[in-house]
Amino acid sequence: MGIGTVALAWLLQQDQLLARPKNIPIKQPHFDLTPKAAQFAPQAKAMISLFQHGGPAHMDLTDPKPELTKYSGTDFKGDIQYSFVQQASKKLLGSPWKFQKHGECGTELSELLPHLAEIVDDICVVRSMHTGANGHEVSIRYFHGGIPGVLGRPNLGSWLVYGLGSESQNLPAYMVLTDPGGLPVDGVTNWSNGFMPSLFQGTVLRPREPRILNLDAPA
């Protein structure tokens, strides 16, 4: 069997032109990236998720904490579960940046975001998300996979591709652009397909050559 025969069989399978044998007891699952019909009429054609690992704290950007600012510098009177004992402190630290309401919606933003303040009516700021975990790995898995501390779960990008498919069958549907400084905590787990087929795993686009690994045949 030559490579041409294999290619022809794949093309016929994609167009559902292959002959089907009778009396197949169990239907084999089929996975592809063809566009799927959404439950509701979509308004977006693509999703760009910026996971800024190690970025500024939310209370310095979009989530003002007036009570924290009020008691900044004083000792916290409640019980604390310390993650790093050698760096432990009961001192409260409020944001040093000023917040102000912007736009017709009146969303408060930090003075660090003057340009974002100009389009605040066009964005959605979610302040209700939280986790009871202190560790980076557990919280990041919660963020991407929806379940804290559990490995082997598909992340958000994998679910989107699985549910909606892709407009192109020749290019990766789920791309990952990594930080030139290195991978985030938990590495490739952040774009893992989990228990899904590898078709739904994120394809890493590296900041240096080769941009995508394993495209060239071995020498």
Side-chain angles (χ1 to χ4, degrees):
M1 179 183 294
I3 188 66
T5 305
V6 175
L8 176 61
W10 184 85
L11 291 173
L12 292 174
Q13 172 67 25
Q14 291 294 105
D15 295 334
Q16 298 183 354
L17 297 177
L18 284 179
R20 296 183 179 181
K22 296 181 179 180
N23 302 323
I24 299 179
I26 300 177
K27 183 178 180 180
Q28 296 296 323
H30 175 70
F31 302 98
D32 57 40
L33 297 177
T34 54
K36 311 296 191 302
Q39 184 177 2
F40 303 99
Q43 297 182 1
K45 294 183 178 180
M47 173 185 174
I48 300 176
S49 175
L50 301 178
F51 178 65
Q52 297 175 290
H53 178 65
H58 57 95
M59 66 275 291
D60 289 334
L61 298 178
T62 61
D63 194 9
K65 304 291 185 184
E67 289 297 303
L68 181 61
T69 302
K70 178 180 178 180
Y71 294 103
S72 182
T74 64
D75 288 342
F76 180 66
K77 298 180 180 180
D79 295 329
I80 299 178
Q81 179 181 353
Y82 294 111
S83 296
F84 304 97
V85 178
Q86 67 274 18
Q87 302 176 15
S89 174
K90 296 192 69 172
K91 293 289 184 183
L92 298 175
L93 179 62
S95 176
W97 313 106
K98 296 180 180 179
F99 282 77
Q100 184 177 345
K101 294 183 178 181
H102 296 276
E104 295 182 6
C105 61
T107 299
E108 291 185 85
L109 295 177
S110 163
E111 59 183 316
L112 295 175
L113 302 173
H115 300 297
L116 189 65
E118 297 176 359
I119 59 168
V120 69
D121 288 327
D122 299 323
I123 65 174
C124 175
V125 178
V126 180
R127 294 172 175 161
S128 57
M129 297 179 65
H130 64 90
T131 171
N134 293 330
H136 287 84
E137 293 88 346
V138 177
S139 299
I140 290 174
R141 291 172 198 162
Y142 203 169
F143 181 87
H144 291 298
I147 298 180
V150 177
L151 290 171
R153 297 281 303 182
N155 58 47
L156 178 59
S158 298
W159 282 118
L160 286 175
V161 175
Y162 171 79
L164 299 178
S166 174
E167 293 183 349
S168 173
Q169 300 301 296
N170 301 318
L171 295 173
Y174 178 14
M175 297 294 298
V176 178
L177 280 69
T178 58
D179 190 328
L183 300 181
V185 174
D186 253 7
V188 298
T189 305
N190 292 283
W191 50 87
S192 169
N193 53 296
F195 53 74
M196 288 185 179
S198 57
L199 180 68
F200 304 109
Q201 178 173 294
T203 299
V204 177
L205 186 62
R206 291 155 37 98
R208 58 185 179 276
E209 297 294 344
R211 300 295 179 176
I212 299 179
L213 295 175
N214 305 318
L215 288 183
D216 297 327

